[in-house]
Amino acid sequence: MSEEKTTPSAQDYVAEIDTGARVPAGGVGRLILAVALAWSLFQIWIASPLPFIFTEWFGFSFGILNNTESRSIHLAFAVFLAFMSFPALKGSPRDRVPVLDWVFALAGAFCAGYLFLMYAELASRAGDATTYDIVVAIVGILILLEATRRALGPPLMVVASVFLIYTLFGQYMPDVIAHKGQSLTKVAQHQWLTTEGVFGIALGVSTDFVFLFVLFGALLEQAGAGNYFIRMAFAGLGHMRGGPAKAAVVASGATGLISGSSIANVATTGVFTIPLMMKVGFPGTKAGAVEVASSTNGQLTPPVMGAAAFLMVEYVGISYIEVIKHALLPALISYIALVYIVHLEACKANMKGIEKSVRTTLAQKLMTIAFVVLLICLTGLVVYYGVGWIKDVFPDSAAWIVAALLFAVYVALLAFSTRYPALPEDHDMSKLPELGPTTKVGLYFFLPIVVLMWCLIVERFSPGLAAFWATALMIFIVVTQRPILVLLRGAGDVAAAARVGWNELIQGLIAGARNMVGIGVATAAAGIVVGTITLTGIGQVMIEFVELISGGYLMLALIFTAAICIILGMGLPTTANYIVVSSLMAPVVVALAADNGLVVPLIAVHMFVFYFGILADDTPPVGLAAFAAAAISGADPIKTGIQGFAYDIRTAILPFLFIFNTQLLMIGIDGVFEFIVVVAGAVFAMLMFAAATQGWWLTRSRLWESVALLLVAFTLFRPGFWWDMVYPPYEQRPATEIAAAATEVPAEKFLRLRVTGQTIDGDIRETTVRLPMGEASDDGMARVEAAGLFLREEEGRVYIDNLMFGTPAETLQREFGVDFDWEILFVERIADRPPKQIMFIPALLLLALVAWLQLGRRKKQGDAVPAAA
C-alpha cells in the first residue's frame, strides 16, 4: 500500500482518538479553535509568575487562582471541547455541531466550572451541600462519563461507571467485595464537590504539569523538531542492517520523551518509518509492531513518561528527580534491547541497510564520537560554572544576563544551520541523508530541552515552572526562527516569514489544547476511581481478593496483578491508565510482598503496575497503538498487536525483576563500580533475553541454547536468587535487641522488622516492614524514637506503643497498616556475605559455551552473519 493512500487514514484514525474527528466549518469551527487557544493561554498564565508580578504592580490580587479554582476551569475547557470536537456516534455529523451537543457542552462546562463560580459559597457550607449543589454534581458526573466515552471510547467510562455502581450498591455485592454502600447524595458530594474525587490529585497534575508538557511537545512538533529527530535517527542508523527499523526505535524514543500518547507517537513517526521498514524487507505486520513497541516504550521513558512521572511525585511522595532516576535504567535497557531485536530480525532475513552516500572509516567514526562527547562535556562545565558565577557576581540581574546569552547562542546556532540545506518536510526518505549536516541544521531545537532539564535538575524548579520556562523559549523559537533564518540567509520576505511564525505559534497552541482534551477528561474520570477507593475501602478488599486467589504465593499474586493491570489499561490514555492501576493495585503488591518477607520500595511497586498498564496499548483485542500502526502499514491490526506484544515481552519481564532486584531502579547502589556492574549486567542480560526469545544469537539457536541464554539473562538480572540459597541475605535477631540493631544501621538506611498484629478489619496479619533511620548514633533506642517509633516491653516481648504522625514511622501505618499494640517478632540484620555478583562467573562461562558452539556451527554452515551492526 502506498504512503499517499495510507497516511490520511492513519491521520483520521488518530484524530478520532486524540483531537476529535469533528471539523465544523464557519463560525463554529473558529469558535472551537478560539476556545482551544484560550485554554492554552489560560494554562500558560496560571503556570507563569505573571499573576504575582501584576498583583505586586497593581496592589491587589490579579488573576491568582487556588488549586481548586484552576482545576475547575481546566475541566470546564476539556468537557466543552470534548462535546464540540468528538461526535456522539460514528454516524453523527462531523461538519456541524448538533443542538444536543451544544447543550451537553455548555451544561458540562457549567458543572465543571461550578467549583470556581461558587467557590466561596461551597467553602462556607463544606459538608452541608444544598439540593442545587447535589443536582449540579450528579449532572456533572453523568456528562463527564459521556465526554469520556466520546473522547476515549467506552473502556474508561465503563470502569468509572462500575466503580460508581459499586459505591452505591456495595451492600448487594458478593461477600468478598461487599461494603455498607453509600447514598447518592454522599457519592455526588464526595466525587464532585470535594478534592477527593473528580477534582483530586489526578486532575491537579493534569492542570499544573501535564498540559504544559503536552503543549511543549506540540510546539516542538510545530517548529519542525519532530521531523528533525526522525531524520537525524534515520541518517545515523539507516545504513545498518534493518536500519530504518532501528531509526524508528530511536526516533520514537526521542518523540516519546515529550509525548503523552503512544497513539500520537505512532502517527507522528510511523508515517516516516513504517513504509521505510517495509521497503528494506520487513513485513507490514512486523514493521507496524516495531513502531508500536517503540512508541509504547516512549511512555515509559523519562522525563515525561506520558505525564505519569508527575503523578508518581504526588502518589509516591518523592521528588521528580528521584522518579526520573529510578525510571531511567529500565527504559534505556528496554530500548537497547528493542534495537537489538530489530537487528536480529534483520539478520534472520539477511536484510541490508540503505547505501550511504559518504563512507567513513572506523577511526574517523571514533574520532567524531570522542570529539562530540568532549564538546558536550566542556559545554556542560562552562554552562554550569558560568551560570553559577553570573548568579554570584550579578545576583539581581543574573536572569537577564543568562537570557541574553541564551539568545546569543540561539542566533549563533541558527547562523550555523544556514551553512547546510534545510530539511525537507515530505515523507520521502528513499535516499540516506548525511548524519553531520542533518544533525547540525537543527541543533537549536535542543535549547528548550536543555532549559527544561536545567530548570528541573540544577535549579530544582517545580515541573510546572520548569515546563513554563521551556515552553516560553519554545514559543519564542516558533515565532522567530523563520524570520531570523531569512535575515541570515539574505533571501526571502521577512514579514511573510514572521506571519508564518505567528501562524505556527497559534496552530501549536491550538494543537496542544486539542491534544489535552482526552487527557483532561481522562484524569477527571479516573478521579472517580480514586474517590471510590477513599469512600469504600476497596483497596483492602483487593488485597484480600488477590491473596485469596493466589493462595498467598507472591509470584502468583504478581502475575495476577500484572494481568489485572493490562485489562484495566486497555483503551486508557497513559495518565488515566496509571491513576487507575496505581490506586487499585499498588497497595496489593506492597501488602502481599511485605507479607512474604519482601519489603519493596513504593516507587518499584508503582513502576510495576505502570509498566503493565502501558503494555495494554499494544495488547489485543483493544491495542489502540496497534490499530494506528496498521492503518499506515495496511496489515492486520490484531496480528500487528500480537507481534508488538511479542517484542514487548522484554519489557514485561522488567517489572518482575526490579521488584526482586531494586538495583535496576538505581536503589541501594553503593559506589561507582557497583553502578557500572549493575548497568552493564542489566544491559547485557536484556540482550541475551532478546536473543533467547528471538531464537537467534550468533546464528539460529537450538532449543537448549535458547534456554541457556534465558538462564544467563536471569542470573545477570538477579544474581541474588541463586546467592540467597547459599548465603541467606538476613540474620534474625530477637526483638529485645532492637536498640543494638538500630545502632548498627548506617545513616539514612532502614531497620527491617517482622511484625504482627490486628488489622482494622479484625484480621491477624504478619508482615515485614522497613523503618527509615536518620543520622547514625550510639544510642540505638534514641534513633528508633527519633524516627517516630515508640516501644514497650512486656514479659520479654516488644510491642509498638505509638507511631508519631509526621515522622518516618508514619510510613509503617500508611503503607503497611501497622498500628500501636502490634508485636515486633524479630529484627532482621543484613548478613555479612560475599558479593552476589560472583554468580556472574558461571553465567558468563555458560554463555561462552553457547558462543563457541554457535560460532563453530556458523562457520561450518557458511553463515557469515555478523552479530552486531
Side-chain angles (χ1 to χ4, degrees):
M1 188 175 292
S2 67
E3 182 184 297
E4 289 75 21
K5 293 180 180 179
T6 59
T7 300
S9 62
Q11 292 171 338
D12 290 344
Y13 176 78
V14 175
E16 291 182 15
I17 299 297
D18 266 11
T19 59
R22 181 182 284 152
V23 187
V28 175
R30 289 191 292 272
L31 174 65
I32 293 175
L33 299 182
V35 171
L37 178 61
W39 191 11
S40 287
L41 294 175
F42 166 75
Q43 294 290 159
I44 293 172
W45 170 263
I46 63 173
S48 73
L50 292 177
F52 303 97
I53 295 173
F54 285 1
T55 297
E56 184 178 351
W57 285 354
F58 299 140
F60 59 89
S61 179
F62 188 90
I64 297 177
L65 303 175
N66 61 36
N67 289 336
T68 303
E69 291 172 322
S70 58
R71 293 173 191 180
S72 176
I73 297 173
H74 177 85
L75 183 58
F77 273 114
V79 171
F80 181 84
L81 288 173
F83 283 103
M84 299 297 283
S85 302
F86 292 87
L89 302 169
K90 288 188 176 180
S92 299
R94 302 192 176 196
D95 58 346
R96 61 184 177 84
V97 180
V99 174
L100 185 60
D101 286 2
W102 276 104
V103 173
F104 280 150
L106 295 172
F110 172 75
C111 292
Y114 189 71
L115 272 72
F116 167 73
L117 298 171
M118 305 291 290
Y119 181 79
E121 291 81 355
L122 290 171
S124 66
R125 56 173 184 264
D128 186 25
T130 65
T131 302
Y132 186 71
D133 295 338
I134 299 301
V135 170
V136 169
I138 294 172
V139 173
I141 291 172
L142 294 175
I143 290 179
L144 174 62
L145 291 175
E146 171 59 11
T148 303
R149 183 194 67 81
R150 293 193 184 200
L152 305 165
L156 182 55
M157 184 271 290
V158 171
V159 170
S161 300
V162 167
F163 275 83
L164 283 174
I165 293 170
Y166 174 76
T167 309
L168 291 167
F169 304 106
Q171 65 270 37
Y172 305 114
M173 299 293 169
D175 290 342
V176 69
I177 61 171
H179 68 93
K180 66 179 182 179
Q182 299 289 344
S183 68
L184 180 61
T185 299
K186 180 70 177 292
V187 172
Q189 183 170 327
H190 184 81
Q191 295 284 10
W192 198 264
L193 301 178
T194 72
T195 55
E196 296 293 326
V198 170
F199 295 94
I201 290 175
L203 188 63
V205 170
S206 176
T207 306
D208 297 337
F209 307 142
V210 179
F211 191 103
L212 282 177
F213 277 88
V214 172
L215 179 61
F216 179 66
L219 290 171
L220 266 176
E221 181 66 31
Q222 191 67 41
N227 181 34
Y228 170 68
F229 290 142
I230 292 169
R231 292 186 181 276
M232 187 169 60
F234 182 57
L237 300 172
H239 65 285
M240 299 180 178
R241 285 183 177 273
K246 293 174 181 175
V249 176
V250 174
S252 294
T255 55
L257 295 177
I258 55 175
S259 170
S261 167
S262 55
I263 304 161
N265 208 351
V266 168
T268 301
T269 59
V271 292
F272 288 89
T273 57
I274 290 176
L276 281 170
M277 285 188 266
M278 297 171 67
K279 180 180 178 180
V280 297
F282 277 85
T285 300
K286 290 188 176 181
V290 169
E291 182 59 43
V292 167
S294 305
S295 298
T296 301
N297 274 229
Q299 303 302 289
L300 305 172
T301 308
V304 178
M305 297 167 63
F310 315 114
L311 288 161
M312 286 185 184
V313 171
E314 300 292 334
Y315 287 174
V316 181
I318 61 177
S319 69
Y320 176 76
I321 301 302
E322 288 291 307
V323 171
I324 299 307
K325 182 184 78 172
H326 297 320
L328 185 59
L329 181 57
L332 285 179
I333 62 178
S334 186
Y335 263 116
I336 290 170
L338 184 56
V339 172
Y340 191 58
I341 286 174
V342 166
H343 174 69
L344 294 175
E345 289 279 19
C347 288
K348 286 189 282 186
N350 198 25
M351 297 178 191
K352 304 297 182 184
I354 297 177
E355 189 70 24
K356 294 181 69 173
S357 57
V358 177
R359 292 191 170 275
T360 55
T361 64
L362 178 61
Q364 289 175 316
K365 292 178 182 177
L366 293 176
M367 287 291 293
T368 301
I369 293 172
F371 175 75
V372 170
V373 171
L374 180 62
L375 183 62
I376 292 174
C377 292
L378 289 175
T379 303
L381 288 172
V382 170
V383 171
Y384 182 80
Y385 288 104
V387 172
W389 179 81
I390 292 171
K391 289 165 68 176
D392 290 337
V393 178
F394 307 101
D396 297 330
S397 55
W400 295 105
I401 295 173
V402 171
L405 291 174
L406 187 63
F407 175 74
V409 172
Y410 167 58
V411 174
L413 289 176
L414 282 174
F416 184 62
S417 71
T418 59
R419 302 180 183 181
Y420 307 96
L423 296 178
E425 297 183 1
D426 56 43
H427 298 161
D428 181 22
M429 290 192 186
S430 55
K431 183 180 179 182
L432 190 68
E434 293 184 45
L435 178 59
T438 303
T439 301
K440 294 169 185 174
V441 78
L443 286 175
Y444 61 93
F445 286 130
F446 288 101
L447 286 178
I449 299 174
V450 170
V451 168
L452 175 65
M453 301 313 297
W454 176 274
C455 292
L456 286 171
I457 297 173
V458 179
E459 300 294 341
R460 297 298 180 101
F461 289 167
S462 69
L465 186 57
F468 166 76
W469 288 116
T471 303
L473 177 57
M474 198 64 244
I475 289 173
F476 182 77
I477 289 175
V478 171
V479 172
T480 61
Q481 63 170 338
R482 291 184 183 275
I484 292 177
L485 285 172
V486 168
L487 285 172
L488 291 171
R489 289 195 173 104
D493 186 343
V494 176
R499 286 193 296 271
V500 172
W502 279 103
N503 183 61
E504 288 179 339
L505 171 61
I506 293 172
Q507 294 303 316
L509 293 172
I510 292 172
R514 300 195 70 173
N515 289 340
M516 269 298 300
V517 173
I519 297 175
V521 297
T523 51
I528 293 176
V529 176
V530 179
T532 298
I533 293 171
T534 58
L535 197 57
T536 64
I538 191 178
Q540 183 62 36
V541 172
M542 287 301 300
I543 293 172
E544 295 172 358
F545 180 64
V546 174
E547 188 172 24
L548 175 67
I549 64 173
S550 65
Y553 291 101
L554 180 58
M555 186 53 69
L556 285 178
L558 290 175
I559 292 172
F560 186 72
T561 301
I564 292 177
C565 290
I566 290 177
I567 293 170
L568 288 173
M570 287 185 177
L572 303 190
T574 303
T575 43
N577 189 325
Y578 170 68
I579 295 164
V580 172
V581 298
S582 64
S583 301
L584 197 60
M585 300 309 299
V588 175
V589 179
V590 170
L592 295 181
D595 291 351
N596 284 268
L598 183 66
V599 183
V600 183
L602 196 55
I603 182 63
V605 175
H606 279 252
M607 291 286 290
F608 179 92
V609 297
F610 177 55
Y611 263 56
F612 283 107
I614 291 301
L615 286 177
D617 276 355
D618 61 8
T619 305
V622 181
L624 298 178
F627 277 83
I632 299 172
S633 67
D636 182 84
I638 300 299
K639 292 181 179 178
T640 300
I642 293 172
Q643 184 65 59
F645 187 78
Y647 289 152
D648 270 339
I649 290 176
R650 79 202 188 287
T651 305
I653 69 161
L654 278 172
F656 289 98
L657 293 167
F658 56 61
I659 284 289
F660 294 99
N661 182 11
T662 55
Q663 285 187 323
L664 295 175
L665 298 178
M666 307 287 194
I667 298 174
I669 296 179
D670 299 318
V672 176
F673 178 74
E674 188 173 9
F675 169 78
I676 294 172
V677 170
V678 169
V679 172
V683 171
F684 196 65
M686 185 56 84
L687 297 182
M688 293 305 97
F689 180 83
T693 55
Q694 289 299 304
W696 187 289
W697 185 32
L698 304 177
T699 186
R700 189 171 302 280
S701 299
R702 292 171 178 166
L703 179 60
W704 77 266
E705 291 174 336
S706 293
V707 173
L709 291 176
L710 287 174
L711 184 60
V712 170
F714 177 76
T715 303
L716 294 178
F717 267 129
R718 196 186 166 200
F721 179 81
W722 310 108
W723 209 232
D724 292 349
M725 297 179 182
V726 182
Y727 298 97
Y730 299 101
E731 298 174 356
Q732 294 181 2
R733 300 175 65 175
T736 53
E737 298 182 15
I738 187 171
T743 304
E744 299 171 1
V745 176
E748 308 302 330
K749 296 295 184 180
F750 298 91
L751 178 66
R752 287 177 58 98
L753 307 170
R754 187 70 177 176
V755 299
T756 184
Q758 190 175 51
T759 67
I760 194 172
D761 297 320
D763 300 325
I764 300 299
R765 183 182 173 204
E766 183 177 322
T767 188
T768 301
V769 299
R770 296 194 311 174
L771 177 65
M773 304 296 285
E775 297 180 359
S777 171
D778 294 333
D779 189 341
M781 189 55 67
R783 289 191 73 189
V784 172
E785 293 179 353
L789 183 65
F790 292 84
L791 309 173
R792 72 176 187 275
E793 187 173 339
E794 297 178 0
E795 299 178 357
R797 302 171 75 174
V798 178
Y799 296 90
I800 296 174
D801 201 39
N802 197 9
L803 292 143
M804 293 296 292
F805 178 77
T807 66
E810 185 189 355
T811 60
L812 306 186
Q813 188 175 49
R814 185 176 66 250
E815 296 180 17
F816 303 101
V818 176
D819 214 332
F820 62 90
D821 282 340
W822 278 44
E823 181 184 0
I824 299 178
L825 299 176
F826 51 80
V827 182
E828 291 185 339
R829 173 184 176 275
I830 298 177
D832 296 323
R833 58 177 188 165
K836 60 186 179 182
Q837 284 78 13
I838 291 176
M839 287 304 305
F840 286 1
I841 297 174
L844 294 176
L845 289 175
L846 177 59
L847 184 65
L849 173 63
V850 175
W852 179 68
L853 293 172
Q854 289 203 355
L855 285 171
R857 192 162 67 249
R858 190 175 77 176
K859 184 177 180 180
K860 183 177 180 181
Q861 295 171 351
D863 183 8
V865 179

